Structures are given as structure tokens and as C-alpha cells.
Amino acid sequence: MSILRELYKDIQNRKKNPQEGSYTNYLFTTGEDKILKKIGEECTEVVIASKSDNRTELVSELMDLTYHCLVLMAEKDVSLEELEEEAKRRRGKLSKVGDRKEIDTL
């Protein structure tokens, strides 16, 4: 079992079996808005770490973002299998730049 799968199972377990003082529990207790706020904060920290060219910091911030995304997945009952299926569905499909609606402001 991969460490990310183990982490997700731990997060799901914490949702079902709260432990006093647990940060994960705190996120579930305060609700979706707090989880989303943390994801936004972690996204910003990933951008800053990436721009600083500090690989250790970038990896750390990416893990923080991944953790908070896993908490959101557990909150919304989205399984890792659903994510894997979506990745399989997208794999190998050609996506053209013109198909994207993003505006590059950097």
C-alpha cells in the first residue's frame, strides 16, 4: 500500500473516530470552509516555494497541499479510486493549448 493511500485511510479513520487534539479532527470539526481556506493557503505557499528554488521547501509545501486535498476528499466522500479512474480516463488524451480557458498572467 502506498504511503498516500495509508495517509488517506488515516484521515478517513480520523473522520469516523475523532481524537481530541488532532489537527485532522479540527479540520473536520470546523468544516468545509476551513478546509478550503487551508487548501488556498497551501496553494500560495507552493507557488512561493517554487519561485524560491528551494527544493526541500517545495516538497514540504506540496505535501501540505496534498494532505489538505486528501482531507477535502474525505470530507466530500471522494475516494482515491475515483481519482485514479479520472487519471486513467485522461491519460493519453491530447489537450491543445487553445482548448484551455486559462489566462497566463505570470
Side-chain angles (χ1 to χ4, degrees), residues 35-51:
I35 296 167
L36 294 173
K37 180 180 177 186
K38 289 302 298 179
I39 288 174
E41 290 171 7
E42 297 304 339
C43 285
T44 301
E45 290 173 6
V46 165
V47 170
I48 292 167
S50 182
K51 297 295 278 181

Side-chain angles (χ1 to χ4, degrees), residues 80-96:
L80 284 174
E81 291 74 24
E82 288 176 276
L83 221 52
E84 289 170 349
E85 285 303 314
E86 181 64 13
K88 287 177 190 174
R89 187 184 71 74
R90 292 181 182 199
R91 188 172 185 202
K93 289 192 175 181
L94 180 63
S95 178
K96 297 179 182 173

Side-chain angles (χ1 to χ4, degrees), residues 60-74:
S60 177
E61 295 302 343
L62 284 167
M63 189 61 240
D64 288 348
L65 176 58
T66 300
Y67 161 78
H68 286 91
C69 286
L70 290 172
V71 171
L72 178 62
M73 287 172 59

